[in-house]
Amino acid sequence: MHPAPSVILFTVSSGAGYGALIWVGVAAAAAGLPPDRWLGFVLFLVALGLITIGLLSSLFHLGHPERAWRAVSQWRTSWLSREGVAALLTYIPALLFGAGWVLLGTNSGVWTVFGLLASGLAVLTVVCTGMIYASLKPIPAWNNRWVVPLYLLFALGSGGLLVALVAGLFGQSLSWLTWGAVLLLAVGWVAKSGYWRAMDDAHGRHDIRAATGLGRFGQVSALEAPHTSENYLLREMGFVIARKHAGRLKGIALGCGGAATLAAAGSALSAGGISVAAAGVAVALTAVALVIERWLFFAEARHAVTLFYGTLAV
Amino acid sequence: MTSLPTSTDKKLGLVIDLDICVGCHACAVNCKEWNSGGHSAPMTDRDPYGAEPSGVWFNRIHTYEVTNDRDAGQSRTVHFPRSCLHCEEPACVTVCPTGASYKRAEDGIVLVNADTCIGCKLCSWACPYGAREFDEDDGVMKKCTLCIDKIYNENLDETDRVPACVATCPAGARHFGDLGDDSSDVSRMVAERGGYDLLPDMGYKPVNKYLPPRPRRAPQQETDTAATPGESGSDVASFLGWVDRMLSR
């Protein structure tokens, strides 16, 4: 699948934003964050900022961005529509929660209800994002049980790091949250390498014999293409990445992701400026690792339509 | 609405005979011609006279080679037209976030409303058959309409009320009809010839069916007849044998 920058930016940025929002709601409810107005302002700026940048970037992916409002109508059948609905609904409690914190200087009592509501809706939004991909049968690399948990793990892990970093900058030590992010990211990267191994070992769910129905007569191979230059189908769904390059990129992603997780653990174990600096390094490395991971998620996924163009199995 | 109709009154679709198709691309060309002025017009081309032409087509004609160990050294060439199969379970419709994609309850045709499509391309990801092609100029998704503006067009003679691809096929490899009606010509054809679904495991239940190439004559027979001249020892007999073989093709 074509790795469109807008969708990579959207899933990484919004994922981290929703992850941060989830932790902010939970941390406030657990009385883990003081109702400091500036702390609240920066937390919501980061979380809602990343979410909004991501959503706007996904709009650029559309042929008709001005009609995007129509996308909330088909939530009965479409995961993309459900994601849109969940994303918009999340803003309501999130903005109320933020208003209470930043304008009224309170994040306890009834305000925690808004915070937890925002957390819940944010989880739902990330699940919907994952389900958009996991529900597509023509793409076996997405249509499996790994995809939704991985989206959740990376959203929660990267978001947790962001909240810990912001809190650290305001002199708040949230080591329990940092440890939570360490655990989630460690599990996330182990699961991701498991996913990569499973995809490498997969023999293909669909093949050219079933696509053409000619398998009953023998081995099928494409003799002549229907057109001489690339068409939309091949540009969008026929993206091919060399195995060698994919292997190297996976190494870089795992290296950065692993180093980030260690840096986060270092941040949880230390205090003061060192802890904040380590959290900053962890955030930066995780961002790099996740952009590569997301790029590969698209670039490596093979679509069943390529079977008609001669791919033997996907 | 992207919820699918529980059942459709008719299941209009195509039956494509792979035994007959000669791979001439006339169906694709006439499809482009008709639809350039039809329901989903225009079918935009980019760089049409340049080095890398690219455009929207609803029909793509592939050619495959099928080889088999049993008849070593012999392979079969199969021309294979590919277009929308107007599935009974079209995921391209259910994934659509706006309701622009829909399946008609009256005849089962899958269509796109170009006025409400946001061009998110998700439907093209959901289709394993590559039936949907994005129009970069219009910013919306386009697909085969089964010539909705031709098959119901009362200004045309009744014989002309078939999709452009069917009307133009010089070999008679494409047939149009109601596959939901067991007594229709197309349904009978499918029953007689063992018409099949593409990628049946995907679960999309395509309405369009493909008729397999007929079994080839056993190569053993041909070697037998080729051996006769030597046995009979007569040139006349071998000439008559050749005429017989030619005429019985």
Side-chain angles (χ1 to χ4, degrees):
Chain A
M1 300 296 291
H2 170 65
S6 55
V7 180
I8 293 170
L9 180 64
F10 161 61
T11 55
V12 172
S13 168
S14 287
Y18 284 117
L21 191 60
I22 294 164
W23 284 114
V24 171
V26 170
L33 285 167
D36 178 272
R37 292 183 184 202
W38 280 107
L39 170 64
F41 178 75
V42 175
L43 280 174
F44 282 96
L45 188 72
V46 168
L48 294 179
L50 284 172
I51 290 169
T52 310
I53 288 170
L55 289 173
L56 288 177
S57 127
S58 76
L59 288 186
F60 293 121
H61 184 71
L62 302 178
H64 280 279
E66 80 284 1
R67 297 178 184 166
W69 59 272
R70 293 183 181 276
V72 296
S73 63
Q74 304 303 310
W75 48 270
R76 282 188 192 83
T77 63
S78 166
W79 282 105
L80 177 53
S81 188
R82 288 171 194 163
E83 183 199 41
V85 172
L88 290 179
L89 283 181
T90 307
Y91 275 105
I92 300 169
L95 286 172
L96 284 171
F97 183 45
W101 194 331
V102 177
L103 302 178
L104 306 177
T106 169
N107 65 2
S108 52
V110 67
W111 299 98
T112 60
V113 177
F114 292 128
L116 288 174
L117 215 58
S119 300
L121 286 167
V123 171
L124 222 79
T125 310
V126 176
V127 169
C128 289
T129 306
M131 279 307 294
I132 293 173
Y133 302 105
S135 66
L136 294 172
K137 288 191 206 165
I139 309 163
W142 295 353
N143 184 225
N144 57 59
R145 289 175 184 191
W146 294 89
V147 170
V148 173
L150 278 168
Y151 266 90
L152 262 178
L153 281 168
F154 285 134
L156 284 168
S158 59
L161 281 185
L162 279 170
V163 176
L165 173 64
V166 172
L169 286 169
F170 281 83
Q172 300 293 325
S173 169
L174 289 181
S175 60
W176 63 272
L177 200 160
T178 315
W179 281 121
V182 168
L183 185 69
L184 288 161
L185 286 173
V187 173
W189 290 113
V190 169
K192 191 73 204 192
S193 19
Y195 165 87
W196 281 331
R197 215 168 310 125
M199 294 305 120
D200 284 346
D201 293 346
H203 294 298
R205 209 185 285 174
H206 308 288
D207 62 17
I208 190 171
R209 300 157 64 99
T212 60
L214 297 172
R216 70 188 80 181
F217 300 110
Q219 298 302 316
V220 184
S221 58
L223 184 64
E224 257 189 300
H227 35 90
T228 50
S229 53
E230 280 206 318
N231 66 346
Y232 164 75
L233 297 174
L234 291 177
R235 282 192 300 271
E236 182 78 5
M237 283 160 286
F239 191 90
V240 177
I241 173 181
R243 229 181 156 78
K244 185 178 70 178
H245 294 161
R248 200 165 298 160
L249 284 170
K250 284 173 192 172
I252 297 173
L254 282 179
C256 288
T261 312
L262 288 179
S267 167
L269 289 171
S270 56
I274 297 169
S275 172
V276 175
V281 169
V283 166
L285 285 173
T286 299
V288 174
L290 285 182
V291 167
I292 298 173
E293 178 268 333
R294 216 49 55 87
W295 190 87
L296 283 167
F297 178 72
F298 287 90
E300 281 205 300
R302 315 205 66 177
H303 193 284
V305 74
T306 59
L307 297 173
F308 293 99
Y309 284 89
T311 304
L312 294 181
V314 296
Chain B
M1 205 60 188
T2 54
S3 300
L4 298 173
T6 45
S7 70
T8 57
D9 298 340
K10 288 182 173 181
K11 293 178 188 171
L12 294 187
L14 302 174
V15 171
I16 295 174
D17 192 340
L18 298 179
D19 193 59
I20 295 180
C21 177
V22 294
C24 70
H25 292 238
C27 51
V29 174
N30 201 34
C31 165
K32 180 98 170 174
E33 149 69 19
W34 177 267
N35 285 293
S36 290
H39 178 273
S40 294
M43 288 172 82
T44 316
D45 286 316
R46 309 203 106 187
D47 194 21
Y49 306 107
E52 287 291 318
S54 167
V56 180
W57 294 71
F58 298 160
N59 259 295
R60 301 285 189 179
I61 321 302
H62 298 258
T63 302
Y64 299 103
E65 184 173 50
V66 188
T67 52
N68 195 319
D69 293 340
R70 273 176 315 202
D71 35 31
Q74 302 210 46
S75 63
R76 189 195 282 266
T77 303
V78 181
H79 303 290
F80 187 97
R82 175 174 57 80
S83 57
C84 174
L85 307 173
H86 297 280
C87 300
E88 286 181 57
E89 299 285 339
C92 59
V93 169
T94 51
V95 301
C96 175
T98 69
S101 278
Y102 59 104
K103 184 171 176 70
R104 308 209 313 176
E106 62 267 40
D107 52 19
I109 297 178
V110 176
L111 291 174
V112 179
N113 180 351
D115 293 332
T116 53
C117 173
I118 57 173
C120 70
K121 303 177 183 168
L122 188 58
C123 55
S124 68
W125 293 7
C127 174
Y129 307 106
R132 292 172 169 248
E133 299 202 10
F134 187 67
D135 188 321
E136 309 276 351
D137 285 5
D138 274 5
V140 296
M141 196 56 78
K142 298 198 169 168
K143 69 175 293 300
C144 161
T145 67
L146 212 59
C147 286
I148 194 112
D149 35 23
K150 193 166 184 286
I151 58 175
Y152 293 117
N153 194 332
E154 292 182 357
N155 296 315
L156 301 174
D157 286 344
E158 203 161 337
T159 49
D160 291 332
R161 291 181 209 160
V162 293
C165 57
V166 174
T168 204
C169 179
R174 302 182 71 117
H175 307 273
F176 165 69
D178 181 5
L179 286 143
D181 172 6
D182 289 341
S183 64
S184 68
D185 288 348
V186 282
S187 294
R188 277 206 292 263
M189 212 179 289
V190 169
E192 278 166 26
R193 293 276 305 283
Y196 63 85
D197 290 348
L198 306 186
L199 291 169
D201 293 347
M202 200 76 72
Y204 285 37
K205 296 187 191 158
V207 168
N208 284 16
K209 300 284 184 265
Y210 283 75
L211 305 183
R214 288 186 171 87
R216 63 190 320 153
R217 279 157 299 177
Q220 193 57 40
Q221 265 180 347
E222 285 176 33
T223 31
D224 285 353
T225 41
T228 33
E231 286 165 15
S232 70
S234 148
D235 286 348
V236 177
S238 85
F239 173 72
L240 288 177
W242 176 80
V243 169
D244 179 49
R245 284 202 303 281
M246 285 303 115
L247 292 178
S248 53
R249 279 204 163 197

